[in-house]
């Protein structure tokens, strides 16, 4: 699975990932060490960050610029779903 962090501070999530893990359209984002954790919110009324539609295919975006460290690596990266944390794990730095 791959996602992209853009230079403008957006996380782009492909439709396949969004439809499987983020069906409500809202997420919580946390920094944990050198990773970003993206967790689904049970319903939009609970708060969180809104996932916006990018295209008709269903790709989604969420603005994270205020949360990202200044030295984050932008671009595509491999991501993993963490069943224990119920979160998408996204490395902030490309190695």
């Amino acid at each position: 699975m791959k996602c992209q962090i853009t230079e403008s501070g957006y996380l782009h999530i492909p439709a396949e990932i969004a439809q499987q893990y983020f069906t409500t359209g809202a997420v919580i984002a946390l920094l944990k060490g050198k990773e970003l954790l993206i967790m689904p919110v049970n319903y939009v009324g609970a708060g969180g960050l809104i996932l916006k539609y990018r295209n008709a295919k269903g790709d989604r975006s969420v603005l994270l610029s205020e949360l990202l460290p200044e030295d984050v690596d932008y671009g595509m990266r491999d991501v993993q779903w963490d069943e224990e944390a119920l979160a998408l794990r996204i490395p902030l730095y490309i190695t």
Side-chain angles (χ1 to χ4, degrees), residues 72-94:
V72 67
D73 291 334
Y74 300 106
M76 294 297 290
R77 63 210 58 233
D78 292 318
V79 301
Q80 294 180 326
W81 181 256
D82 183 332
E83 192 62 38
E84 186 175 316
L86 296 176
L88 190 64
R89 288 189 172 276
I90 302 165
L92 292 172
Y93 305 99
I94 300 171

Side-chain angles (χ1 to χ4, degrees), residues 5-74:
I5 297 177
T6 69
E7 290 186 30
S8 55
Y10 280 90
L11 173 65
H12 290 188
I13 303 171
E16 300 78 26
I17 296 172
Q19 291 166 359
Q20 185 171 0
Y21 300 113
F22 305 112
T23 57
T24 63
V27 296
I28 296 171
L30 295 172
L31 285 177
K32 188 171 183 180
K34 294 182 179 182
E35 291 183 315
L36 181 62
L37 300 180
I38 304 294
M39 297 173 281
V41 175
N42 287 338
Y43 63 99
V44 177
L49 302 169
I50 302 298
L51 286 173
K52 298 178 182 180
Y53 281 98
R54 295 188 59 228
N55 53 37
K57 180 182 169 188
D59 293 339
R60 308 294 284 268
S61 290
V62 60
L63 183 61
L64 300 174
S65 57
E66 293 180 3
L67 184 65
L68 297 173
E70 290 182 18
D71 63 343
V72 67
D73 291 334
Y74 300 106

